[in-house]
Amino acid sequence: MQRNRFLGDLLSQLFDRRSYMRGKDDTRDIFELCQALLSAEGQVSGLRLAATILDRYAALEQNEKTAFFQFLNNELDIDAQQVARLATEYAKTPTPAVFQKLSTASEPKRQELFRRLNQPVGATQALVAMRVDLLARLKEDSDLARTNLDLVHLLRSWFNRGFLVLQQINWDTSARILDKIVAYEAVHHINDLDDLRRRLYPPDRRCFAFFHPAMPDEPLIFVEVALTADIPGSIDSVLSDHRTPLDADQAKTAVFYSISNCQKGLAGISFGNLLIKQVVSELSMACPQIESYVTLSPIPGLNNWLATQTEDERHGNTAQSTLDGTATSEEVRAMAARYLLMAKRDDGLPVDPVARFHLGNGAMIHDVHANADTSPNGAAQSSGAMVNYLYDLTQVERNHERFAMDAAVVASRGMRALSNATLATQTKE
Amino acid sequence: MQRNRFLGDLLSQLFDRRSYMRGKDDTRDIFELCQALLSAEGQVSGLRLAATILDRYAALEQNEKTAFFQFLNNELDIDAQQVARLATEYAKTPTPAVFQKLSTASEPKRQELFRRLNQPVGATQALVAMRVDLLARLKEDSDLARTNLDLVHLLRSWFNRGFLVLQQINWDTSARILDKIVAYEAVHHINDLDDLRRRLYPPDRRCFAFFHPAMPDEPLIFVEVALTADIPGSIDSVLSDHRTPLDADQAKTAVFYSISNCQKGLAGISFGNLLIKQVVSELSMACPQIESYVTLSPIPGLNNWLATQTEDERHGNTAQSTLDGTATSEEVRAMAARYLLMAKRDDGLPVDPVARFHLGNGAMIHDVHANADTSPNGAAQSSGAMVNYLYDLTQVERNHERFAMDAAVVASRGMRALSNATLATQTKE
Amino acid sequence: MQRNRFLGDLLSQLFDRRSYMRGKDDTRDIFELCQALLSAEGQVSGLRLAATILDRYAALEQNEKTAFFQFLNNELDIDAQQVARLATEYAKTPTPAVFQKLSTASEPKRQELFRRLNQPVGATQALVAMRVDLLARLKEDSDLARTNLDLVHLLRSWFNRGFLVLQQINWDTSARILDKIVAYEAVHHINDLDDLRRRLYPPDRRCFAFFHPAMPDEPLIFVEVALTADIPGSIDSVLSDHRTPLDADQAKTAVFYSISNCQKGLAGISFGNLLIKQVVSELSMACPQIESYVTLSPIPGLNNWLATQTEDERHGNTAQSTLDGTATSEEVRAMAARYLLMAKRDDGLPVDPVARFHLGNGAMIHDVHANADTSPNGAAQSSGAMVNYLYDLTQVERNHERFAMDAAVVASRGMRALSNATLATQTKE
Amino acid sequence: MQRNRFLGDLLSQLFDRRSYMRGKDDTRDIFELCQALLSAEGQVSGLRLAATILDRYAALEQNEKTAFFQFLNNELDIDAQQVARLATEYAKTPTPAVFQKLSTASEPKRQELFRRLNQPVGATQALVAMRVDLLARLKEDSDLARTNLDLVHLLRSWFNRGFLVLQQINWDTSARILDKIVAYEAVHHINDLDDLRRRLYPPDRRCFAFFHPAMPDEPLIFVEVALTADIPGSIDSVLSDHRTPLDADQAKTAVFYSISNCQKGLAGISFGNLLIKQVVSELSMACPQIESYVTLSPIPGLNNWLATQTEDERHGNTAQSTLDGTATSEEVRAMAARYLLMAKRDDGLPVDPVARFHLGNGAMIHDVHANADTSPNGAAQSSGAMVNYLYDLTQVERNHERFAMDAAVVASRGMRALSNATLATQTKE
């Protein structure tokens, strides 16, 4: 099939790129073109109209884009009174005919517009890019949130788990995609392709990404994994240029040390939970001798929280000394454990966003480490402390349930002791 | 990338097939599992729950499937009064917050259920199969049309043009897919793979199909094309075993002689228009010397219509002699032309369904032929007559527009004369 | 890389097919063209000359092909006196310069011609086809064996194990290749693709083939494997349409029940030994629970041998009753065992060619079965008896060594007893 | 087929890497192992023996490698007296039987050893690497040239044009292969992958390489092409970071500005001629509007030659001023033209090696440029001058023939005038 698959792709692209396909001679403005796409014309000439609109959109000035979104928001909204009327009718006579009218009426026309735009090669990516523009306008024009809700609703449906494809990223991957990995790495900065080689090339490194078939060159999310002998206590040791790579067959631990979302236009659509579990499953088949699946994660909110804790008599000195960099490693660990296990928001969930993500996935807090991230950013946000979240596939559902139901933070015995020890120590004084 | 792509696929499938993933030990019934999938549990264990539900569904008895659809239809419907209330509120205060509530309320929960079911490998195909079951129940329980509307709405979004992949089908295609072509051919029956060889192997034959990436072994629609010197007047000559294949470089005409939709579960979602245009485009690049793109199509409604015309004084004899098989070729052609150009439904559109399809795509009626399909089916439905619809890419939009606006049937000068000639001849008598 | 790889291939083929590349206007005859290819012209225009010669050759009449081979055999032979002179010189002064002259002189020019012919796409396959023509002429003109030696020498080098690629053949394979499997099956006839489906589609069937990258659509050799619970005693039961397929995970035995060489033009170049061992290795990784790797093989020489044994007093009656079909199963088995273990050629090797192949590969004779092949061919050649050869990868080297050194036939204890039991029984009478 | 192809590859590799396959427990030394591989043992256990020998070889010390080559050279040589005897016999009685004996006797056993070594995955590459080691020893031990002759003979047969695959190299190529392009670029240095991006990413750049299927990650030779409006006169302008890339559809000229052989182990096996012609053919199909195919080549021998010309009365001043950097552009061009057209070796061929390569391929000298390569290397070797060789596919054969027969250097009228003008100018003085 390979030849045919390719031929279809190649010809499609050539076809889509032909200039007459891009409506360069069409004198209508983008608003008229959108109305045309929604009309009967859209049924026979949808591909050309969609390509034309997407080309025009890409060339708009910033203020024109704003006007375009306002058009979507206001001109292509629902007729609420009609919806109310039909809903009332449906409540009385719930027939399919009424249901159909109500369904049609309650979906804003912009949703159908987005679907009809998604026809030429590259359209899905163009719509994801369009949402980036939209998100940038939400702060100034919060009313555009209605269009955003429709767009994210559609994207969530299109980027459904069933359509995602997991791919391993390594040195056999194309430079085009590797460029994206360099650009999208959000946790531990990568300078360039030669720097990336250090992350991908050694035999004890793995990287996996989700892709969508309509955007084959654009990773959606990726995770970098280090295969190690033991659960590591420092990102510096994991990323050190001077370490001796481990033979993959010897690894006992898989460390998820960096997870990066790639597409701003897909903000609010979560792939991380699915990715981690899929990668755990795949590694467990490829390297069955691996015993532990852990993260080595930042604690982004630690120092901010410590700063609010300085007035607290019981452990104020330790909080301050941690911030000052004068605390012992054990003190730093104790403060980190205390923060992760006990610092809660008003809704009862942990203050720390990374903790919320992993605990929400069903992971547990396994261990914390001082002097684990000596980068300026690591020092600033967590005084160098990092945390291992442990993914035990036999426990994740139970852990998740306890977290979802009771906001229970599952932690190892050592972590629980450490977080309490803090208090004990402090109250002694 | 090829290696990686494959590895991900392979491992995913192994993973998905693991028995613990299929919830064999879960004691809940399918209704409880659906509710669980819609709850918080669905967020962390969605993949497993979805796989379990789809497995359970596939094993249901017929009456249990009926109960399952009634559950979707009634238990997972909207709360119409809440929708009415929120729509009224939105009409007054069109804020994003109210819009979001209204959006959520006006979408039946079964839509979210379908989306969450679409997680394991093979789920998309399972949902398409589920719709086949649903369609079979619509006749007896027309109320299920509400669930059908939701499912087709979702499938139309998922099978958006932007996600479809055109592939050439030929003798390099896998036997697995060729088996499907044999099974799905709906116009001119194919016995088996060795019979299919006659359709695909000669150098003057082409076949193209649309696929969806989540169903890589299942064609959605395919078209069979004969490359010929002239516009053919008989399917028998096109499919004859004794013809000498033409070198593709010599072809002046591409004949679309068979178009088959493959997926009953996607009934109502139209791919034919898109497929024909894409194939015209691709052939025009691969074989730039081709001058005409025509169909050689059946006229399924001719004889039924003729039977209703026998009382008509003006051409009744010809209608009857056409039905009797005693008419001359010219008389048969004249009746066919008259039928295609003039026989209309109450809504003004042509009576003939194939005519509606091609004219709706912007094709024109080019020519009709007697003795063109001598199969029993051809004799029974159209006294052996067939028609060429012509796709002229420079005219399809204009033709479509005239058809869509005014129900105007565009036909060649010869066809117009022939359809009028009938009258002339008849009135002479 | 996939896209690029394909593009290169596609363009190369288009290029090679261009008519000016095929030398249609070149007025020289094939002999002059061969001389030109061997001259300086061959260095700059080798691709075109080679394509022209191969095209011309394919269009030759039978007697012209004979003349072509005689040209190769006589005009492009070595100058033996020059070789003798240079060899004598090298014996005295073994310098690189003399060695080079001797090397060049001792290789017939036809070898360089074959190499230079191997330039256009498809040339390797054309040369393999040329050897088919050559082999057909060997009987009548045994002198052509010199050219045959050179060609097989080159083909053996080109079809070196390091260049072969193992591929699994299944229902995802292209129809083009499956057609070849149908055509090349040499042991148990396959009617057509629909018949082949029974061999490939069930979950307890496997098929593997070696390919050469320059002939991607042409299998070189393939083996068909049945995964079974036990070691089977009958090909009829293995190929029965009515059996219930086994889940591959449940199989304890892999049965190699058919091995077919595909390319007559590669006669004399052995792939079977390599294929069996590679397939054993691959199956042992994919299905680690498999315990036994056996064949279910014909005994082609049994009845011929029995016919020569009828005069032998000791077991003449059993030999005759086996031939007559009146022997008991145990008697048939005993005769088969005796034949396989004891019937030897003058060189001490077994009479049976299939036995020589498997024993030469290091297999052992595991068991024999009566009524195992009830086809007319099976009855005629071996009175329905078949044999299992067992491949125990831990023993094949030792077995092979004993066979190669001492012509020792390794057999199971049961087989040894059975073959001796025959004598015992017979001598009792 | 894709899945199967891959699976075979993957499993083969896993299989080959198994430790028992690598003969770690085999106590024989490498010489005994080679003799075993050549013996009957090599027929049944060839794969394991070959893998073991290649592993052992790779781990040898330098002096041990020398001993290994001496073993091949002396112990596995021909028996010259036997060859002489058989050749004499064949001269008298040229039967196939004698021919076979002579063929066998006249091929050194090391050739069969090399072929038998070529069985495990990676063996071909290992043998190419072995030749690198061998070439390094030739200078000190010229007698090893005999083994070198045999190895290069075999490699030339294996790397026959018919087995090479042309691939486009671009940003969709794997990083693994791109690393090789960086490493192997021999003409205009590339720093790293980010530097390579400038060569491959812009729309007016192309790169093509030949690969062998048994070494899929190792390019054999590659050419870098710039698509330009006009024939360029300076490499600096071609490689400038500040130029505006041209749309490929607008290009009128394809400039081959760098050709690099990649495999030292394949030295003496020429791919350049084939590569250039194939690339010309492919570009002419992909970009039919291209009118000229030229190189922009260094003139490596110019300054050396000028240095020898200073005593020549007729143009000595210009030669010296060119070397000094004080000549005008026209003077530099004239000296370059004169050098390329007139400076000949004793055998009548041009002194300049790059000229010999392109003229031998059938190209003609089109133009020369001063100040074309301002790099230190360019200044040192040719005072900054460069040359365009023109490939006119309709003329290459004729040009080649004239060059091969008469050592005629084909040059444009302008170049001929320029080279004569020099004399004219000089003789005026």
Side-chain angles (χ1 to χ4, degrees), chain C residues 268-283:
Chain C
I269 305 172
S270 172
F271 304 114
N273 174 12
L274 292 164
L275 179 64
I276 290 176
K277 283 181 196 159
Q278 184 91 30
V279 170
V280 169
S281 297
E282 306 224 341
L283 286 173

Side-chain angles (χ1 to χ4, degrees), chain A residues 115-152:
Chain A
R115 282 194 293 266
R116 293 194 181 190
L117 283 174
N118 188 34
Q119 297 192 51
V121 170
T124 308
Q125 199 165 337
L127 289 167
V128 171
M130 192 182 280
R131 181 149 180 261
V132 177
D133 293 339
L134 176 58
L135 287 171
R137 280 158 180 80
L138 275 191
K139 295 160 203 159
E140 296 179 6
D141 185 351
S142 64
D143 204 40
L144 290 175
R146 291 182 286 128
T147 293
N148 182 47
L149 277 165
D150 282 327
L151 187 48
V152 78

Side-chain angles (χ1 to χ4, degrees), chain B residues 202-205 227-229 243-253:
Chain B
D204 57 354
R205 297 298 138 115
L227 305 181
T228 60
R243 66 192 180 75
T244 306
L246 194 69
D247 188 13
D249 296 343
Q250 306 301 317
K252 295 293 180 192
T253 309

Side-chain angles (χ1 to χ4, degrees), chain B residues 308-340:
Chain B
T308 67
Q309 301 294 307
T310 48
E311 301 303 314
D312 182 323
E313 287 294 302
R314 291 169 303 168
H315 55 74
N317 293 342
T318 313
Q320 189 57 48
S321 60
T322 298
L323 287 171
D324 296 343
T326 59
T328 64
S329 290
E330 268 322 279
E331 286 173 337
V332 171
R333 291 184 69 235
M335 293 312 292
R338 186 170 176 79
Y339 164 66
L340 291 168

Side-chain angles (χ1 to χ4, degrees), chain C residues 215-270:
Chain C
M215 291 166 53
D217 292 334
E218 279 288 338
L220 308 181
I221 187 173
F222 63 91
V223 60
E224 294 166 74
V225 187
L227 305 181
T228 60
D230 306 304
I231 296 178
S234 149
I235 190 67
D236 302 333
S237 70
V238 168
L239 294 184
S240 166
D241 288 353
H242 306 298
R243 68 193 178 75
T244 305
L246 194 70
D247 188 13
D249 296 344
Q250 306 300 317
K252 295 292 181 194
T253 308
V255 185
F256 300 79
Y257 68 89
S258 177
I259 304 175
S260 300
N261 280 294
C262 307
Q263 305 294 327
K264 284 187 188 170
L266 297 176
I269 305 172
S270 172

